[in-house]
Amino acid sequence: MTCFCIASLSAVIWPVLPHPLLLTVCWLLLVGCHVLLRQSKWYRYFVPVRQRNSLLPEYLLWAMIAFNGFLTGCIWGASLGYWYISWQQPTEKFQQDVILPVAVEQVRPAHSTTQCILTVALITHSQHYPHTAALDTKLIAGWHNFWLTPKARLYWYAAQPCPTPGQRLLVRARLRPLTFLRNPGGPDSGRQYIAQRIVATGYVKSLLQQLPASAASLHQRISQAIRQLAMPNQRWTLALLTGDRSQLTDTDWQSLQHTGTAHLFSISGMHLALIAGWAILIASYCILPLVSLFTRGRAQPPLRGALIFITWLICVAYTALANWQLPVCRALLLLTVAGLCYLRAAFIRHTDMALIMLCVCCVVFPFAVYGSGLYLSIGAVMVIWLVHWRIRPNLTSLMARWRWFMLLQAWLTVCLLPLTLGFFDTFSATAPLINLLVIPIIGLLLPLGMGALLVLVLSNGAWSQPLRVFDQTLGGLTTGLQNVASALPLATVSLSWLSLVALFVAILLLLAPAFSTKRWCIGILLMPVLSQFLPFNPRYWYLHVLDVGQGTALVFSQGARAILVDTGPAYPGAASAFERHIQPALRTLNLTSLDAVYISHGDNDHAGGVPQALAYASAGQALSSVAGCQQGYHVQWQQLTLTALWPQAANNIDDNNHSCVLLVGDGINHVLAPGDIEKQGEYGMLYHSAIRPVDVLIAPHHGSASSSGALFVERFKPDYVVFTTARFNRWGFPAPSVTKRYAQVGSQQLNTAVGGYTRFRFSEDDAVSVLSYQQQHPRWYYRPLQ
């Protein structure tokens, strides 16, 4: 089981999926090992001791068992990868209208241009989606929401009002392939898509028909009853009582992140443990005395089994209320195993129970291995057991229990720090203190809220005052959290996987028993972590080409200082590319000073984040083709020279052909950033400026056919050319004719849509060094569809 879990979890970091032929060989080896193990077991049971000389040694049997489990995990992980790929549409079907029968699972508000964003389960999940509305509605009505159903994320552009969770619809939609932006400090969106089983994005053009819906689940009925009350803080009430966080705004998420309390408003094992504890407490002090009263003078029946069974039923109902979310199901599984062991007076070690839970989760919820919740929840359980084993607390008094709670919270924060940084790149230093205060409050509010919810259900919605009082009380708590979050800093730290593993081992050594070289080992393990905070070697200068989709964002850096050329796009009603990708990358790369901002021209894909960039850089204005960045501009920045080659002086036209063309170099190595200049502007620049070959060229206009003329390519003759495009962009950039011209002059061609973030390192002595995000973090789910 251990080797199976290790192999299954390792699929998250596989660079490629194993070839089917290799999987066949692995399966044959697995069968052979299984036959040998069974044969050896038969010999041990039925062959006399004196005739067992031909048996395999004990250590070889253990090695075969481990190898058997590891092969099983590898085959399981690879099968899931191919399964996920088989759900995706062929590339030729994109940008076509399709008719989709879908089941709405989640609805959340969107920005002003759309009404809402839907997460839907695809009822028809074949590669060949239906193209007609002539569907068998009886078959669709009998469809069940299976736990391995693919999903899609759709923007609702239809004229009708947004649907509600649980509805089944027939819609006309246009799907798009999944796109991933890969930058330092940015989220691993590809892994998140797999964890949620999302295989496509797109938008709904029209609603064709509302399909027959199945019976509403307990979660849907209770959520709808709460929404009908229209309480002022119902989004928080929904999140805490039912686990529905779709109504939380970006401001709410930001406050939860800054205070480290997001786990409190996401139903998890902690909430289930609180419900189980309160159920046992109420039964012990209310039901058991009544039983004793009615059985006075007679033999009291055994109540241990009944108490455990009632508590288990309450936990099952609470899990159904939480819509069978994965963290609650894991906790329910753990409580079930613990309850059965208690009834049968059996003893299972904590490590074995955690291993069983992890193995079952890998089989029952296979795609959860790509999400963060599995590791955080199981990690928290293991930390609690480890700290309890190492410290052996004395819980005889209330003060001792409170001290133990504070100590446990501190160790949870420290031990889960590597996982938190690995998944989110953020850490709130005040989160332990805030959780010490908030967790007891939530522990009291949660049973009160469940009681108020039970009163609402039993009265058929007639008596809602208890729930309204609970909503007001919860609103006061969340308002306080938001006020605290506005005054607290949030540390952003991005560490490599090697540094995170070293940090995790160092923390485990802190809990280990003392030995002679313990401090030295911890100090050595912390060295990779501390080295992550050192700035780049000032002997070199760097070009960072950030992945912002269909747009351009370049960062030139030397030491801890940087300048920005273009900011990427802005999104209506949402954070700009600068806030989402550039700013986290600057922090991750330890670039603490942004000295200047240059804008090639005013198009959104180049200048969408100018206000945010100027605020971050504390600069007065950005230099652009109509304000300073024109022929004659020449400035020295550290060891680099920045020269504007185009447009001509006194230019007041802000379009593609009058983009600011910036040449950056140290006298030996040069980089040309030409914006969206097209052939007309290229010829004008070649006529009015002295041109020489460059080392790196950012392809004009993202590689469109209207740019990169033959004369332009021949005169600059770059060693490297970078196309800043989006994956599967609708314009087909870069154009084949453009890539052919660069190939003819021997340029090495790179594309942010393929490699993600790309970094060039320059020095006067060494050759140009190139490193892309795909080279640093190769993953099978980032490889383009065939």
Side-chain angles (χ1 to χ4, degrees), residues 256-260 413 417 420 426-432 434 488-491:
L256 293 177
Q257 187 180 27
H258 278 239
T259 55
T413 303
L417 178 61
T420 304
T426 56
F427 171 68
S428 176
T430 56
I434 295 176
L488 292 179
L490 184 66

Side-chain angles (χ1 to χ4, degrees), residues 56-373:
L56 295 174
E58 191 74 19
Y59 72 89
L60 191 56
L61 286 176
W62 281 108
M64 290 180 62
I65 292 173
F67 185 66
N68 198 340
F70 189 80
L71 279 182
T72 305
C74 289
I75 294 174
W76 178 247
S79 302
L80 291 174
Y82 283 112
W83 197 349
Y84 178 78
I85 292 176
S86 69
W87 283 338
Q88 301 181 12
Q89 280 197 111
T91 53
E92 63 270 12
K93 288 187 175 293
F94 290 122
Q95 303 302 329
Q96 298 180 12
D97 289 353
V98 293
I99 308 299
L100 290 178
V102 299
V104 180
E105 292 194 352
Q106 189 181 60
V107 181
R108 61 186 179 92
H111 47 75
S112 57
T113 57
T114 57
Q115 299 179 31
C116 52
I117 302 175
L118 312 180
T119 300
V120 300
L122 301 175
I123 298 179
T124 302
H125 55 267
S126 169
Q127 283 189 352
H128 305 287
Y129 292 116
H131 288 263
T132 65
L135 297 175
D136 189 350
T137 56
K138 294 182 179 180
L139 178 64
I140 293 174
W143 174 84
H144 298 283
N145 188 8
F146 193 56
W147 52 282
L148 281 181
T149 304
K151 302 178 183 179
R153 182 169 295 166
L154 303 177
Y155 289 84
W156 184 266
Y157 287 104
Q160 293 87 346
C162 290
T164 58
Q167 283 188 305
R168 301 190 180 189
L169 312 172
L170 189 66
V171 299
R172 183 184 301 277
R174 179 163 293 189
L175 298 182
R176 294 190 293 260
L178 298 177
T179 58
F180 318 113
L181 301 183
R182 291 160 286 171
N183 295 289
D188 191 346
S189 54
R191 180 177 50 78
Q192 295 173 2
Y193 281 139
I194 298 178
Q196 301 173 32
R197 306 196 306 274
I198 294 177
V199 297
T201 60
Y203 59 92
V204 176
K205 300 180 68 174
S206 60
L207 173 62
L208 301 180
Q209 183 182 351
Q210 185 166 338
L211 302 175
S214 59
S217 64
L218 176 64
H219 172 80
Q220 294 171 354
R221 293 197 300 269
I222 298 299
S223 299
Q224 185 63 28
I226 295 177
R227 289 191 184 95
Q228 290 176 352
L229 298 179
M231 297 179 294
N233 302 292
Q234 72 174 15
R235 66 186 189 279
W236 296 107
T237 301
L238 280 170
L240 181 60
L241 297 184
T242 69
D244 182 2
R245 302 190 294 179
S246 60
Q247 294 188 1
L248 296 182
T249 63
D250 293 339
T251 304
D252 298 333
W253 283 112
Q254 187 176 7
S255 66
L256 293 177
Q257 187 180 27
H258 278 239
T259 55
T261 54
H263 64 286
L264 299 179
F265 292 91
S266 173
I267 295 182
S268 62
M270 184 194 74
H271 298 75
L272 190 69
L274 287 173
I275 293 297
W278 278 100
I280 294 174
L281 185 66
I282 293 174
S284 300
Y285 285 93
C286 296
I287 300 178
L288 295 183
L290 292 178
V291 174
S292 301
L293 180 64
F294 285 105
T295 58
R296 181 176 298 177
R298 299 189 302 272
Q300 186 173 339
L303 299 176
R304 183 175 62 179
L307 180 62
I308 292 177
F309 182 70
I310 293 173
T311 304
W312 182 81
L313 286 180
I314 293 174
C315 291
V316 170
Y318 185 70
T319 306
L321 178 62
N323 203 24
W324 303 98
Q325 295 183 27
L326 179 58
V328 200
C329 291
R330 286 195 298 262
L332 179 63
L333 174 65
L334 185 62
L335 288 176
T336 303
V337 174
L340 291 175
C341 293
Y342 186 74
L343 288 176
R344 298 180 60 86
F347 173 76
I348 297 182
R349 293 180 300 178
H350 292 160
T351 53
D352 293 340
M353 190 175 296
L355 184 62
I356 293 172
M357 180 175 62
L358 180 59
C359 185
V360 172
C361 287
C362 289
V363 175
V364 180
F365 309 102
F367 290 104
V369 302
Y370 293 91
S372 59

